[in-house]
Amino acid sequence: MKFIIETYGCQMNVADSEMISTIMENSGYELTDSVDDADIIMFNTCSVRQNAEDRVIGRISNEVARKFNNKQLIVGVVGCMAQRLGKELNEINSKIDFVVGVDNYFQLPQIIEQIYNKRDFVYSVEMNHQEIYNEVYPVRKNNLNAFVTIMRGCNNFCTYCIVPYVRGRERSRSIDEVLNEIRFAGENGIQEVTLLGQNVNSYLWKDINFPKLLQQANKIDNIKRIRFVTSHPKDLSDELIETMANYDKICEHIHLPVQSGNNEILKMMNRNYTVEHYLNRINKLRELMPDIAITTDVIAGFPGESNEQFMDTYKLMEEVRYDFAFMFKYSPRTGTKAADYSNQIDEEIRLQRLQKLIDLQTEITHEKYKNQIGQIKEVYVEGPSKKDINEYSGKSRDFKITIFPGDESLVGKFVDVKVEEAAGWTLKGHIIK
Ligand code: SAH
Ligand code: SF4
Ligand code: F3S
């Protein structure tokens, strides 16, 4: 039987989809990339904001219509929405055959077999705060970059965030498991790894903390670049910053979500740092790595946010001058603390504030990218550019998409590109000999 997975949400879900594929393939199921061929369609879902959920519900309704012509088709939901809503999903859409939560992926092959034999809705969403999926080394379809999960879950309980409720308690994978998976990727020709966790800075296995893990990963042959997401400002230590600066494979980019530029709001968010601490970390990063790219996440219109408090976020973004930012309007999530705060901000105001941040950041990003003109970037070539098949594209160490004339033989290679032009969020140039 053939299956397909449609993935939403963060890179953790991307990695989970690869892991699910491996679990399924080990049980004899075959991955397909054509939904027309699939006997099983799975949606790996995200709950972080309401619009993320709404979008998936829409997609599911579209795909279950295929059951009209294909009576045997099995449709399932996994991931964070599966965890959050459980069997309620079957009430939302009765054509859904199974719902499997984030800690129960090992059960998927049996659950599907069970449905195949006896058409009945099945759900399994019990949490297991220890499940870490040891010894599943994903067979990757993408042979350029590997996403390696180093920890699962989150203990931070930021008051707006659903993740700790749907992903359970924080646990780190053993150092051996992590290094083996990176080695395995390297042996298969992959040269770039991205280490994943909701808060990778708090990785801890016995006495191995995150900087120590990075130092060990840096030794692995074949791997040329190491990236990681996400960092939490409260746990970004000097040791980590120094490790980034001193170990050659660790790329000059950090994603450091700030969320807000106002201390009272940060407190209401339970972020456990101040603006001063955050700026101190930025200064330290730039002191040791002057050209480091810094990206962030911000939320506009958190409950109780006054216009002045919002403007503190605006000013912080002006001050830090991020290379790029993911900006969101606050979305209340049932079950989180902030959803119960009585001082919710009007949708209209949240949207206006969001737009103001987007306008500011677009301008900053464009300026920052223009400043790159004339520089030489080391680019890891990923494939043809989306717009023009004679142009090839890849990322620089500081995570900027870079486009240049090239051909298929360059894919998977590192080239030096001289930047001649900045177009929106991409750099353009030519390979220099
Ligand atoms: N673990 C990561 C990312 C978690 S989700 C971290 O701690 O940074 C990614 C981003 O979604 C968050 O950084 C936050 O900016 C945003 N987000 C989370 N919950 C949200 C909500 N309820 N409304 C709007 N944005 C939210
Ligand atoms: Fe959510 Fe905060 Fe955990 Fe990130 S650190 S996943 S924002 S609770
Ligand atoms: Fe979404 Fe779950 Fe990731 S809620 S952001 S897919 S951990």
Side-chain angles (χ1 to χ4, degrees):
M1 294 224 288
K2 293 189 179 154
F3 68 96
I4 190 166
I5 310 180
E6 193 166 302
T7 307
Y8 293 84
C10 64
Q11 281 161 330
M12 194 64 95
N13 263 10
V14 176
D16 279 3
S17 288
E18 285 187 336
M19 185 180 72
I20 291 169
S21 295
T22 307
I23 293 172
M24 294 285 289
E25 285 172 333
N26 289 347
S27 296
Y29 294 89
E30 191 187 328
L31 181 66
T32 170
D33 50 19
S34 150
V35 68
D36 294 317
D37 289 346
D39 306 293
I40 303 148
I41 306 176
M42 264 187 251
F43 292 87
N44 192 2
T45 58
C46 174
S47 285
V48 81
R49 283 169 293 276
Q50 189 58 43
N51 60 8
E53 292 201 348
D54 295 344
R55 213 169 342 125
V56 181
I57 294 289
R59 277 290 301 137
I60 296 173
S61 326
N62 283 342
E63 291 301 324
V64 292
R66 291 171 180 274
K67 288 188 164 193
F68 192 73
N69 291 322
N70 178 0
K71 297 274 181 290
Q72 295 303 313
L73 183 69
I74 295 176
V75 177
V77 183
V78 301
C80 298
M81 250 176 104
Q83 195 63 55
R84 189 174 94 77
L85 295 168
K87 66 173 190 284
E88 221 179 285
L89 276 165
N90 183 255
E91 287 152 27
I92 295 171
N93 192 322
S94 63
K95 296 278 193 313
I96 294 172
D97 298 291
F98 67 85
V99 173
V100 172
V102 297
D103 295 329
N104 302 333
Y105 295 151
F106 278 129
Q107 299 168 13
L108 275 165
Q110 299 99 281
I111 285 177
I112 290 166
E113 201 183 301
Q114 189 183 335
I115 295 168
Y116 196 72
N117 294 329
K118 176 172 168 287
R119 308 285 314 193
D120 228 350
F121 173 68
V122 181
Y123 73 103
S124 173
V125 292
E126 202 165 314
M127 295 195 95
N128 171 350
H129 295 293
Q130 271 88 47
E131 182 57 85
I132 199 85
Y133 295 105
N134 274 333
E135 290 171 30
V136 192
Y137 299 135
V139 181
R140 299 175 198 280
K141 304 297 169 225
N142 162 343
N143 55 7
L144 297 168
N145 322 296
F147 292 114
V148 175
T149 303
I150 64 166
M151 59 200 300
R152 298 180 73 85
C154 181
N155 287 350
N156 290 313
F157 289 94
C158 302
T159 55
Y160 50 82
C161 185
I162 196 75
V163 171
Y165 302 90
V166 292
R167 287 276 168 174
R169 294 296 61 74
E170 182 179 297
R171 60 270 194 191
S172 296
R173 280 175 90 189
S174 77
I175 181 75
D176 292 338
E177 278 278 318
V178 172
L179 295 177
N180 281 342
E181 190 171 325
I182 302 173
R183 262 184 226 114
F184 183 71
E187 283 159 11
N188 285 290
I190 292 173
Q191 299 180 82
E192 181 174 290
V193 292
T194 305
L195 308 177
L196 295 182
Q198 295 302 342
N199 176 9
V200 287
N201 303 166
S202 64
Y203 176 89
L204 190 63
W205 172 261
K206 302 210 168 130
D207 58 346
I208 309 280
N209 62 9
F210 187 56
K212 301 257 167 11
L213 183 156
L214 285 174
Q215 291 162 19
Q216 302 230 14
N218 198 76
K219 288 187 212 148
I220 296 177
D221 290 340
N222 305 334
I223 300 298
K224 304 271 166 43
R225 287 181 173 183
I226 302 171
R227 304 184 184 282
F228 53 87
V229 275
T230 299
S231 294
H232 195 305
K234 78 178 163 64
D235 298 314
L236 179 59
S237 64
D238 283 348
E239 188 190 7
L240 175 53
I241 299 175
E242 282 154 14
T243 300
M244 290 179 76
N246 295 335
Y247 287 76
D248 60 322
K249 295 179 182 175
I250 305 169
C251 290
E252 294 74 25
H253 167 228
I254 189 163
H255 185 63
L256 196 62
V258 67
Q259 314 297 1
S260 165
N262 176 274
N263 282 336
E264 283 144 57
I265 296 292
L266 285 173
K267 195 152 189 218
M268 293 305 286
M269 288 176 161
N270 191 32
R271 288 291 287 178
N272 279 304
Y273 55 81
T274 59
V275 173
E276 292 71 28
H277 170 82
Y278 185 89
L279 292 174
N280 168 288
R281 298 293 75 193
I282 298 280
N283 289 340
K284 178 90 187 178
L285 285 160
R286 286 183 169 156
E287 184 190 313
L288 298 196
M289 292 164 278
D291 294 324
I292 188 171
I294 303 176
T295 56
T296 200
D297 295 344
V298 287
I299 298 177
F302 182 81
E305 183 187 71
S306 68
N307 197 48
E308 284 88 65
Q309 289 171 324
F310 163 71
M311 284 309 290
D312 286 342
T313 303
Y314 187 93
K315 285 180 206 140
L316 179 121
M317 291 177 76
E318 274 183 317
E319 183 178 342
V320 175
R321 296 180 62 77
Y322 294 102
D323 291 72
F324 187 78
F326 295 94
M327 294 156 278
F328 309 104
K329 74 176 159 67
Y330 170 72
S331 167
R333 309 309 293 136
T334 307
T336 62
K337 259 198 179 152
D340 290 336
Y341 292 166
S342 57
N343 43 6
Q344 303 288 324
I345 305 287
D346 279 356
E347 165 86 10
E348 188 109 337
I349 294 176
R350 278 184 272 155
L351 264 175
Q352 276 169 13
R353 289 181 183 170
L354 173 63
Q355 194 54 51
K356 202 169 156 106
L357 296 182
I358 292 174
D359 292 344
L360 170 68
Q361 185 56 45
T362 305
E363 204 177 296
I364 294 173
T365 298
H366 287 175
E367 274 173 38
K368 289 210 96 159
Y369 276 54
K370 277 212 187 82
N371 287 341
Q372 305 269 321
I373 293 172
Q375 287 191 20
I376 293 162
K377 296 271 171 195
E378 182 207 80
V379 179
Y380 182 35
V381 186
E382 292 176 359
S385 104
K386 288 194 186 96
K387 290 199 189 118
D388 180 347
I389 50 158
N390 295 314
E391 304 229 295
Y392 274 66
S393 141
K395 285 190 201 75
S396 62
R397 282 177 62 101
D398 62 351
F399 210 60
K400 294 188 167 61
I401 296 172
T402 309
I403 293 174
F404 46 87
D407 60 63
E408 197 59 29
S409 71
L410 297 173
V411 174
K413 302 224 162 65
F414 290 89
V415 295
D416 285 335
V417 173
K418 181 157 191 204
V419 180
E420 286 147 1
E421 201 189 323
W425 289 274
T426 47
L427 301 175
K428 287 186 168 177
H430 279 84
I431 297 179
I432 52 163
K433 289 282 174 283

